[in-house]
Amino acid sequence: MIMALMLMALTAYELRQRSIEWPTATAMTARELFGNGGSSSSSSSTSTSGSEDGGWSEETRCRVESGMEYSGEVLVSGADNHAGSAAECCNQCANTPRCNVWVWCAWMHDCSPDHKYRECWLKITTLNMMSDQEGFNDPGVGWTSGSLFTSSERFELIDTDRRRLADLRNDASLPLVFLDVAIHGYLLGRVEIVLFTDTSPLAAENFRAMCTGEKGMALLGPGQTVGSAYHLKGAAFYRIVDRFIVQSGTPTDSTYGGAFKDDPGGLALKHNRKGLLSMDNDGKRDTNTAHWAIMMATASHFDGHYVVFGEVVRGFEYIKRINQLAIGAPDNAVDATAEAMILDSGQLR
């Protein structure tokens, strides 16, 4: 009881600084959300037969997250569509063809000047994109969101991705490196990364050498700080954007002694899932150095502009904790002052 009162007294900012995680999504069946028959008090037209017209199936789950605005293709605009409750908005989605995501404005004083209380937006997205968005709750956001995917669909996605990452981690032909990451000096855990030396040999080898520090210290040159090591140990995550990227690097050029060219194979890879590593550049081709980012979601606008060269195979939850530092920050971004950093790095294989 005392702890509950203490938590209630903390501001959202204090909670973020103390790395206290906000509750994750809750999952409810249609009957749990609406009662027997799967219908809300304001609508009794919801089906439990699992029909293709958007009705409930017995295993359909309505995952609800407060402080979250899910993205997706808009099917019904909330500007002209309202619901008396989150349950009613979810019910509308269940009865709207193709709808699998809904967003409801829960704040009586409106969610923004342009978005009013009880607006109910009905959308469609993919399960992959949905999973990228879950868990980034912000108490300063007035939206409540939910998604309609079956438990079997969720299990299949999680299991398929788990097996894919395990196979990738066990591929002895590809280097396996690690980053030990921390916030405010406190270790979160180890992040393991497989490098795509087959498709992105230049970028992958550059990153591998930066993990081991085997290239020593940087000399005087453009964009370099004398005395800085070609080593990610001690490097800050200096640009963290909510549900977009976690960016880091060193104040040096590349381990090749200057900017290096884009890998054609890596440039052809798509930024189509969270956990991918992507090179940063100067906005022009063939200007890669010592800066890179871990993707927190899909980013198709990066395709063809930045080289994909690796993927997180273990410990992504620690990267997610770092990314959550940007929740509620101005412009949804924080810099090195957030004190997220790499305590150590190296090569495992």
Side-chain angles (χ1 to χ4, degrees), residues 15-16 30 34 61 70 82 94 103-104 106-107 109 156 172 184 216 228 240 242 246-247 252 268 289 309 324 342 345:
L15 284 169
R16 287 196 301 275
F34 299 122
R61 304 183 71 82
Y70 286 166
H82 296 80
V103 181
W104 182 69
W107 279 3
H109 56 280
E156 182 178 358
H184 303 310
S228 295
I240 303 168
D242 181 24
V246 170
Q247 191 169 355
T252 64
T289 55
F309 66 93
Q324 288 173 331
I342 300 168
S345 63

Side-chain angles (χ1 to χ4, degrees), residues 241-315:
V241 183
D242 181 24
R243 283 170 284 174
F244 180 38
I245 60 171
V246 170
Q247 191 169 355
S248 184
T250 61
T252 64
D253 58 11
S254 76
T255 58
Y256 302 117
F260 62 92
K261 292 183 178 295
D262 295 330
D263 291 296
L267 207 58
L269 294 177
K270 305 298 184 183
H271 295 75
N272 58 3
R273 59 185 180 273
K274 63 186 177 185
L276 291 173
L277 273 73
S278 179
M279 289 300 302
D280 189 19
N281 58 36
D282 291 341
K284 298 177 293 184
R285 294 289 299 273
D286 304 326
T287 56
N288 304 287
T289 55
H291 301 272
W292 47 274
I294 298 176
M295 308 307 301
M296 301 304 300
T298 59
S300 58
H301 58 291
F302 274 21
D303 295 347
H305 300 286
Y306 301 94
V307 172
V308 174
F309 66 93
E311 185 168 8
V312 175
V313 292
R314 278 188 182 175

